[in-house]
Each structure stands twice: as C-alpha cells, then as structure tokens.
Amino acid sequence: MHRPVARPARVLAAAVAMLALVACGGQPQDPPTAAQSPGTTPATTAPGEPVIACGDPIEGFAVTHDADGEPIPERTSPTEDVTLLTEPTTAVVADDGVDPVGTAPQPQLPVTVESCDGEVVEVTDTSRILAVDLYGTLAEIVFSLGLGDSVVGRDTSTGFPEAEHLPVVTPGAHDLNAEAILELNPSVVLTDASIGPTEVQLQLRDAGIPVIFFDDARSLDTIPTHIRAVAGALGVPDAGEQLVERTYAEITAALDAAPAAEEAPAIAFLYLRGGMVQLLGGPGSGADSLIRAIGARDVGTEAGLERPFTQISAETIISVHPDVLLLMSAGLDSVNGPEGLSLVPGLAQTEAVQDGRVVDMDDAVLLSFGPRTGRVVAALAEAVYE
Amino acid sequence: MTATATAPDRTAPHPPQSHRGRGWWLITGTAVALVLVCVVAAGAGQLAVPPGEVAGSILRRVDTGLEWLLGAVGLHVDLPLDRITGPTHPQGDAALWQVRFPRIALAVLVGAALAVAGALMQGVFGNPLAEPAIIGVSPGAAVGASLAIVAGLDVLGSWTVPVAAFVAALGTTLLVYSLSRSKGRTESITLILTGVAVTAIASAVVAFNTFIASPTAREQIVFWQLGSLNGARWQAVAVVAPFVVVGVVVSLFLSRRLDLLALGDRSARHLGVNVERLRVLAIVVIALLVGAGVAFAGVIAFVGLVVPHLVRLVAGPGHRLLLPASALGGALLLTVADLVARTAVPFADLPLGMLTSIVGGPFFLWLMRRMRSSHGGWA
C-alpha cells in the first residue's frame, strides 16, 4: 500500500520545508507599538528603582492604622443602643458613578514596573489602557485616578456608568480572548491572577504589550497598596497618593457613622446559588474584612473555618447562630428572593431569616475593594443597623 | 465512489481493490480538506485580517528565511516576496503568529493524537466503544490537573498544570494496565472493567478537589474538563509535537499486527503475533498520545470515538488505512471545531469539548442509523 501514502507524504514534506523556512524568518519585521528603547526624556520624579506591583498590604488600613501604616487613635463609640434591621434590605451604594480625583493627570513616562510574576516591564505609552480582573478593582482605580478616557475595554465586573460604553472583554466565563484584546490594541494591560487563562496574558506579552500582574488578594488592607501600585505603574504617583488619602477619609467617615455595638452582631456571609450551593465565607473571603470594619463579627472566621469559602451543610448554618445574613444580590435571586430563603432547609430555621435580618448587595460592588469602598462600608452599615 | 466496470458479484466478498481505492480517496481528500481548513482558519479570527494580508505576513517570513538561507551560502539577494503588504492593524502580525497559528497547530496535533489513540484502543481491545476515557486516561489526567489547580502549585509556572496532567495520564494508564494483568495476560474485558473502576475513583477525587477549591480554582477545574485551546503558545506546540509524531509513527508500525489481532487472540497467537507485547506497546503509545492531547487542551471527548468509526465506515477496518486517515480526520475535526469555538461569539471562547460532543453525537447517531440499514453492522 505504498501508493496512497506516497503522495500525501510528498505534500507533507513540502509543507514541513515551508514551515522550516518560515521559522527561520524569525521575529516579525515591524516592531509593535510599546517597548521601545528609552530615547525619550526620563521622568523627572521617577527614581531608579522600579515600581513594585505586589506591595505589602497595610494591616488594619482605615480601621486601626492610616495610609502610611501609623496607628490611629481608637474610635469613640457612641453610647446609644444598636438596633439591627427588621426586614430584608438591599444595601445600595449611594452613588454608582466614579469620582475621579483630578482631571486628566499627566503621566510621567517611561516607568519601570516589577510585575507580580517577577517580570520587569517598561511602560512607555498609557494612551490605551486595559485593566481587567475578576472584581473590577483595577479598572475602578484607573478611572478614579482620572485616566478613564484612556481605557479601551472593560471586564464584566466593571459596571459603573462611566465605563458602560466600553466593550466587555470577558463575557460570561471570566475567560480572556487574546485576539479580541489584540484588536483593541492596548498599549498597557493591567491584570492579575484572578482572571485567566494565564497563557493568554502571556500571549499579550509575547505580542509586545507591557502586561503587569498585580496582587489578586482583596481586603481593606490591600486598598492603599493597589492604588499606589496602579498609579505608579501608569506614571501618576501623586494622583495615587491623593486617591489613597481620599479613600482613607471616606472609609473612616463611614466607620464613624457606623455605631460600634457593645455586643457586636454576628454576620454570616453566604455565597448562594440555588438551594444546593451554600458557601460560608471565612477568613480571606473579603467580606470578613468589611464585616469587621462595620463593627460586627464574621461568623465564618469565628467558627474556625480555614478557607475563604467552604461548602457547608444545612445544619451547620443553624448551629453557628448568625444574627444577620449577608448575601450577594445574585445569590438571593437564585433562591427567588427573601421569600425563597424561608424555603431553603437550614436557612429557614435560622433566626436571621425568620426575623428578616437579611442584607444583600450587588456582587460587583461588594468585593471589589477599590476606591469606592468608603461608600460600600457606609451602605453596609446603613443596611445592617437602623 | 469508485465505479467498477463489471457487475458486482453478490456471492463473493468485497474485493480488496474497492476498499483500497476508497482509502486512497479518503486520505487524499482528508489531507486536502485539512490544508484548506487550515488556510481558512488562518484567515479567520476575532481580529479581522484579510486573506491577502495573511498571505503577505507569511510570505514576508518566507522571504526573510530564504534570504537568510541564501546569505548563509554566500548569495545576498533581495527577494521580491516582501513587497506584499502585511497586516495593517498594529497587532495584526502578533495576533497571527503569537495567537492564531500556534492554536491551529495545536488543534491539528491534538486532533490527530486523540483520533489515533481511539483507533488504537478499538483495535487493541476489539471493542468498538473503546475510547481513552474508558481506560481512565482522561479522568486520570483530570486528577493531576485538578490537584495542581487546587494546590495552587506554581513550581513550573504556567507549565505546572500540563505537566501534572500528563504525568497523571501516564500513571493512570499504567496503573489500570497492571491492575488488570493476571497470569501474564490481559483480557480485554478485564482491562475495560478495571478502567471503569479507576475512572470512578478518579472522578471522585476530581469531585473532592472541586469541592475544596476556591470559586476561581473551581472554575479553572470545570473549564479544564470542558477542554479548550485558548492560550495555545508555540512552547506548547513544541512540547506536544514530538509526542504526537512519535506516537503516530510507532502506531503505523503496529498496523499489520493489529489487523491480525482482529481475528481473535488465539488466532493471532497462532499466526505469530506476541499479543501481550503488542498490547503493552499499544497502551504505552495510547498513554503518550492522550497525555500529550489532554495536557494543554483539557479533556476533549468523542474525537477518539467518532473519527475512527467514520473512517471504518468509508474505508474498512484495515489499520494501514485507518491510522493515517484517523490522524488526518481527527486533525480536521478539531481544527474546524476550534475555528467555531473562537469565532462564534464576539470576545468569547466556547469550550471545545462541548462543541465536539454537541455536533459529533447526533451526527454519529444519524450515521449509525443510515449505515445499519445498508451495511448491517460493524465492519
């Protein structure tokens, strides 16, 4: 049976030879837009050291320490009694929009950044920014710095009005599509490990675009680090400091409004999807940080959970005795609203559900821990306490 | 198909010429179709590059390569091939060479690997339902991948999950094989049943990993199990290619013995085939092929089942035709499926395994019904 194999074999050999020639062709002729050699005037205030994208979080930011890690005096708690909510409430952030800290700050470029994955990246052009992560934090920071006009695309979690017109780069499944991103021709990509696949982010780097990975942890403590890292990477460190100060002021103001209870209520953060999926938030869920910030106790952390989210059985939720249930709005919808909660075994038997102490909040806003966190804390405190 | 001059003799069995003729057409036809699909796929994607610019980009590289070659032997010529304009979009060249072409190359390699692995399995176990998933290779690979994802391992950077999947695939195959040996022999049924049991255990482990995973890791595991070629880079192609090429070439050498095996274990032994050694060799090749196939692409089911059967329905069960035709057919199927996966929905990338199953399953049912009425069973 040599005849049927010979002809395709010759074609294959020709194809392989062509492939080898093409491989010898090497790199593309035209270098892509970014990553040029720095013949431009160096930034006046840029030090010799690269901006670190993965800085250390400031523990207790806005609760016990200020933006530089210095301890702040303890808040005086109001003496009035605290009453919890009596009917299911949706915590709504007062203003949905983003408040830029200034108008169009001038980036001082080029900037050298040490990305979280160890690569040192040089940013020379910030006219076409793409900031994508699972929670929408990075985009929120970019817009709050006043660089919103330079953004060319957004992720699904970025829903504020100023970004609505931008094409969504991660529909549905939080999965990036390399070609679609390349079509937008970004000049710098800000991202982290919460979104993927990593190979696509690396492909963008292969294409010559500076890709910077930031820390994917999210809590109150990481807010100043993220703001400073993003601002530094985009060449606007002064605007970054302004934003950190403003965010600190907003959060402390919100905390002042939140009464510190003598007996701090126990709040359980639940991730619900239908009746079967019930994940209780524990240390590192993000919500634990917010819950402590409004002077309450996080049930998951106190119960000794070790992971950010744990699938629990119906009996567990009864045994932990939450005073208040905190849910994401999509989770509440998946069980058909507050009425549906009383049909879910386990939840229905908790006092929190029976007495209507259920708070829900929009997913995109609740865990993003960006510059608007002050508003989130205020909204949460207003919903939980009456 | 090929017309015969004489009237068919109903009492005589099918003359081998007609099958051989069909086989020749099948292989050439599939090869041509594959090349055409690759060309179409090279020009289609979410970053629109007109076919002329695609050709221009390729020719510029060929031009540089040829000029370099000629320069190396002392001839400094400026060839006119680079006069053709390349992509006008600033990222067009990068999209073609960093994103699209490695993905097409990987689709061809993975498709060929999975189809040949399926054909080998059906031959070695004499079971038309045999598929890599049945002897536990795919679920085993899922165990490795899910462990790497849940543990957040980063020892090899972005290579960690593929290497874990590959090692797990090999380990599971060898485990199943050694568990099903008795008295120096491995019966088909025992092997398949052991594979079913190991699959059940592997699925349980993956389910546990899914349970303890954070929401992000859980999504990663689920999507790994759905299969995708998103993010294929040349490094992945470079790693997968040797395994696939070696696997397919070695399997071609097994063709004659596999044909004899189809007569039954005893008959094959009487005809001089060392059945046990054949099985071991085939299983190692299968493990390598499927391991390479799933390492970077995740679990893509169904290719190993449908493609060999389609080939058999057209060209008969002879392995000399079946194996190369399956390789080409599998490559063709997966390239088309991947083309749809990455262009169907703007900005999105559909899971590949879902597409191959959704389209292949009903098609296979229809084909079975059609062939059963005219052929009366499996060849």
Side-chain angles (χ1 to χ4, degrees):
Chain A
M1 289 285 270
H2 295 295
R3 236 188 29 158
V5 186
R7 240 180 75 170
R10 271 183 271 154
V11 171
L12 193 64
V16 169
M18 181 95 157
L19 212 62
L21 274 176
V22 165
C24 290
Q27 295 307 305
Q29 308 277 35
D30 311 305
T33 50
Q36 304 287 340
S37 54
T40 52
T41 37
T44 46
T45 57
E49 294 174 2
V51 173
I52 308 287
C54 249
D56 293 321
I58 295 183
E59 254 189 71
F61 174 69
V63 181
T64 51
H65 291 73
D66 69 4
D68 298 311
E70 301 299 326
I72 51 179
E74 256 192 66
R75 294 185 294 122
T76 48
S77 47
T79 49
E80 61 223 53
D81 279 321
V82 162
T83 44
L84 297 174
L85 67 162
T86 49
E87 55 171 15
T89 316
T90 309
V92 175
V93 169
D95 178 12
D96 203 19
V98 164
D99 238 345
V101 83
T103 44
Q106 283 295 6
Q108 289 163 334
L109 300 167
V111 181
T112 320
V113 184
E114 188 184 316
S115 161
C116 266
D117 63 330
E119 279 287 308
V120 175
V121 171
E122 203 188 26
V123 178
T124 52
D125 180 6
T126 56
S127 59
R128 304 183 60 79
I129 304 172
L130 186 65
V132 283
D133 67 300
L134 188 61
Y135 311 99
T137 319
L138 298 175
E140 202 182 306
I141 297 176
V142 172
F143 271 84
S144 302
L145 288 171
L147 295 170
D149 289 335
S150 307
V151 179
V152 295
R154 63 180 171 107
D155 49 42
T156 30
S157 309
T158 306
F160 43 83
E162 290 82 353
E164 264 173 356
H165 66 283
L166 295 171
V168 176
V169 169
T170 59
H174 312 299
D175 234 21
L176 300 165
N177 184 314
E179 280 199 31
I181 296 178
L182 286 176
E183 168 129 61
L184 296 174
N185 193 19
S187 63
V188 60
V189 172
L190 310 174
T191 182
D192 64 18
S194 67
I195 212 167
T198 325
E199 286 83 10
V200 172
Q201 291 157 327
L202 295 175
Q203 276 178 330
L204 297 176
R205 215 179 248 169
D206 288 343
I209 305 173
V211 175
I212 306 167
F213 286 85
F214 293 88
D215 190 4
D216 55 317
R218 294 286 186 273
S219 71
L220 278 184
D221 302 342
T222 60
I223 298 178
T225 335
H226 275 124
I227 295 178
R228 287 182 174 133
V230 172
L234 294 176
V236 289
D238 297 330
E241 283 307 318
Q242 264 187 287
L243 188 57
V244 170
E245 291 301 325
R246 192 185 79 178
T247 312
Y248 172 75
E250 281 181 11
I251 298 178
T252 44
L255 291 181
D256 286 339
E262 296 234 62
E263 286 186 5
I267 303 187
F269 177 55
L270 273 181
Y271 179 95
L272 283 185
R273 280 297 182 266
M276 269 199 354
V277 179
Q278 289 181 27
L279 300 170
L280 181 60
S285 68
D288 61 326
S289 179
L290 281 178
I291 288 170
R292 279 195 297 276
I294 62 168
R297 296 176 291 135
D298 179 46
V299 162
T301 316
E302 289 191 350
L305 292 180
E306 280 160 5
R307 285 196 310 279
F309 288 98
T310 314
Q311 170 87 357
I312 51 162
S313 69
E315 294 173 20
T316 315
I317 192 64
I318 306 174
S319 69
V320 294
H321 291 307
D323 292 321
V324 179
L325 280 189
L326 176 59
L327 308 170
M328 299 209 229
S329 303
L332 190 57
D333 287 339
S334 74
V335 292
N336 297 320
E339 308 79 36
L341 277 180
S342 33
L343 299 173
V344 178
L347 291 180
Q349 283 75 38
T350 55
E351 283 178 7
V353 169
Q354 287 165 356
D355 297 341
R357 294 196 292 270
V358 175
V359 175
D360 69 289
M361 196 162 195
D362 186 9
D363 320 28
V365 175
L366 185 59
L367 295 181
S368 102
F369 288 102
R372 293 180 297 168
T373 308
R375 291 184 228 166
V376 173
V377 174
L380 201 57
E382 200 183 299
V384 170
Y385 306 109
E386 279 189 354
Chain B
M1 289 280 174
T2 51
T4 47
T6 55
D9 184 355
R10 297 223 179 138
T11 54
H14 267 300
Q17 271 81 4
S18 95
H19 266 289
R20 206 189 284 175
R22 271 202 209 165
W24 189 84
W25 278 110
L26 180 65
I27 289 195
T28 344
T30 326
V32 168
L34 179 62
V35 170
L36 278 175
V37 165
C38 283
V39 168
V40 169
Q46 300 227 9
L47 196 158
V49 183
E53 290 177 6
V54 176
S57 176
I58 297 178
L59 284 173
R60 285 164 138 230
R61 297 259 185 153
V62 172
D63 181 88
T64 317
L66 278 175
E67 284 178 5
W68 177 84
L69 263 179
L70 292 175
V73 298
L75 282 169
H76 296 278
V77 186
D78 183 24
L79 293 167
L81 292 175
D82 55 0
R83 301 282 161 77
I84 304 166
T85 45
T88 45
H89 191 284
Q91 292 290 358
D93 213 54
L96 287 179
W97 291 96
Q98 307 296 341
V99 179
R100 208 179 283 176
F101 292 170
R103 189 161 170 163
I104 297 173
L106 200 61
V108 166
L109 288 171
V110 170
L114 294 176
V116 169
L120 275 179
M121 286 204 56
Q122 285 144 23
V124 160
F125 303 129
N127 186 323
L129 292 178
E131 225 235 313
I134 288 192
I135 62 162
V137 184
S138 299
V143 168
S146 62
L147 280 175
I149 292 172
V150 158
L153 288 178
D154 206 22
V155 277
L156 298 167
S158 57
W159 292 96
T160 320
V161 173
V163 166
F166 186 81
V167 167
L170 283 182
T172 318
T173 315
L174 297 174
L175 175 73
V176 167
Y177 180 68
S178 59
L179 279 177
S180 51
R181 273 177 76 96
S182 84
K183 293 183 244 174
R185 287 210 198 154
T186 319
E187 301 296 334
S188 270
I189 303 287
T190 318
L191 192 62
I192 291 180
L193 286 176
T194 314
V196 170
V198 169
T199 302
I201 298 173
S203 303
V205 175
V206 173
F208 178 71
N209 287 333
T210 314
F211 164 72
I212 63 172
S214 68
T216 324
R218 180 174 300 139
E219 264 191 36
Q220 273 184 281
I221 295 176
V222 167
F223 273 88
W224 195 90
Q225 289 187 287
L226 290 177
S228 169
L229 288 170
N230 195 12
R233 301 164 79 202
W234 286 117
Q235 292 92 322
V237 174
V239 164
V240 167
F243 287 106
V244 175
V245 167
V246 165
V248 172
V249 165
V250 169
S251 69
L252 290 176
F253 282 106
L254 299 177
S255 327
R256 190 184 142 270
R257 281 178 275 174
L258 286 170
D259 282 337
L260 292 177
L261 192 61
L263 300 169
D265 276 16
R266 286 179 81 183
S267 314
R269 275 193 206 102
H270 289 316
L271 288 166
V273 176
N274 188 334
V275 173
E276 194 56 30
R277 200 190 296 172
L278 177 64
R279 283 225 165 92
V280 173
L281 191 53
I283 286 177
V284 169
V285 172
I286 290 168
L288 286 178
L289 284 173
V290 180
V294 302
F296 288 98
V299 178
I300 299 176
F302 205 67
V303 175
L305 189 61
V306 170
V307 175
H309 280 302
L310 287 178
V311 172
R312 275 195 201 93
L313 288 169
V314 172
H319 283 85
R320 275 230 159 141
L321 268 177
L322 178 66
L323 293 173
S326 297
L328 290 170
L332 179 64
L333 175 64
L334 213 61
T335 316
V336 170
D338 186 56
L339 178 61
V340 173
R342 60 184 170 89
T343 50
V345 180
F347 281 111
D349 206 90
L350 301 173
L352 193 53
M354 175 193 88
L355 278 179
T356 54
S357 304
I358 267 188
V359 174
F363 176 74
F364 192 56
L365 277 174
W366 171 80
L367 203 63
M368 253 176 48
R369 293 188 71 86
R370 220 191 90 174
M371 292 323 246
R372 198 187 293 171
S373 51
S374 63
H375 271 207
W378 302 109

